[in-house]
Amino acid sequence: MFCCDMQDKFRPSIRHFPAILSNANRMLQSAKLLDIPLVVTEQYPKGLGSTCSELDIDHCSINCPKTKFSMVVPEVKAYLEEKGTRKSIVLFGIEAHVCVQQTAIDLLTLGYDVHVIVDATSSRTDTDRVFAFQRMRQAGVFLTTSESMILTLAGGSDHPQFRDLQRIIKTEAQDTKLLSFPTL
């Protein structure tokens, strides 16, 4: 699971930030429960600060500062090569039209299936956000929601962590206003 640049300095300028943050937290809690490796990046943390304190990233496998827009920096690429067996990557964060989009395209180029969590991903403008989702879909990225992905990762109600996952999704995902864009 990839968490892209969810930093405090972006809080005032990202559309629907509180909802994006809440939905990202659902993904992080689920990854922790399911023991899914977590890759976190921070865009220029010296100037933009660290990951939002509300997000529990203590279980991350790698937390990498970067200045490149894509998360696929040498440290992350080396980590992926070391792990080798994963074929799908779940991705969310900010900004949809820059870092998330470039990460998704780089991961596709490396042969991964990429699943972007649309209700945990945003940009400064809705226009950039919507067109980023359209471009990623055209490139072959799967667009999905936090609840759908959490249940997909569980695979069924017979999963040993299903009850704990149910507690996470029992509270409805925060609305990020995607339904107001009929082109998605």
Side-chain angles (χ1 to χ4, degrees):
M1 189 170 294
F2 278 39
C3 176
C4 184
D5 307 345
M6 294 289 293
Q7 294 158 262
D8 268 320
K9 285 277 181 148
F10 290 117
R11 192 181 297 265
S13 59
I14 299 296
R15 301 284 291 156
H16 320 292
F17 193 85
I20 298 299
L21 192 66
S22 175
N23 295 336
N25 219 9
R26 289 163 54 112
M27 296 307 302
L28 295 172
Q29 291 170 16
S30 299
K32 190 174 192 175
L33 273 173
L34 297 171
D35 199 29
I36 294 171
L38 174 63
V39 173
V40 176
T41 58
E42 296 171 341
Q43 182 69 29
Y44 185 61
K46 183 177 172 182
L48 297 173
S50 57
T51 300
C52 295
S53 60
E54 299 96 321
L55 298 178
D56 179 8
I57 59 167
D58 290 342
H59 61 289
C60 73
S61 302
I62 182 172
N63 187 347
C64 188
K66 66 182 181 69
T67 54
K68 181 180 176 188
F69 292 132
S70 174
M71 291 178 74
V72 185
V73 294
E75 300 90 339
V76 171
K77 192 170 182 182
Y79 175 79
L80 289 171
E81 289 169 358
E82 175 188 317
K83 294 301 170 194
T85 59
R86 304 230 179 244
K87 290 294 173 207
S88 293
I89 293 179
V90 175
L91 170 63
F92 58 90
I94 52 181
E95 284 188 78
H97 68 292
V98 186
C99 298
V100 173
Q101 179 176 272
Q102 289 188 25
T103 300
I105 290 168
D106 285 351
L107 291 168
L108 288 170
T109 301
L110 292 173
Y112 291 94
D113 291 331
V114 180
H115 304 264
V116 170
I117 309 303
V118 295
D119 62 347
T121 301
S122 195
S123 294
R124 287 180 299 117
T125 71
D126 284 328
T127 301
D128 284 328
R129 182 181 184 211
V130 168
F131 280 93
F133 290 152
Q134 288 178 351
R135 181 172 182 213
M136 286 187 275
R137 177 183 279 154
Q138 289 168 347
V141 170
F142 299 101
L143 303 180
T144 191
T145 63
S146 56
E147 183 166 331
S148 177
M149 182 51 68
I150 291 166
L151 293 173
T152 297
L153 292 169
S157 60
D158 58 342
H159 191 284
Q161 300 297 333
F162 183 73
R163 291 242 184 253
D164 292 325
L165 293 171
Q166 239 180 348
R167 281 190 266 287
I168 292 170
I169 63 172
K170 187 174 183 177
T171 302
E172 188 175 320
Q174 295 292 307
D175 184 12
T176 62
K177 308 298 181 205
L178 282 173
L179 293 181
S180 59
F181 302 102
T183 58
L184 282 178

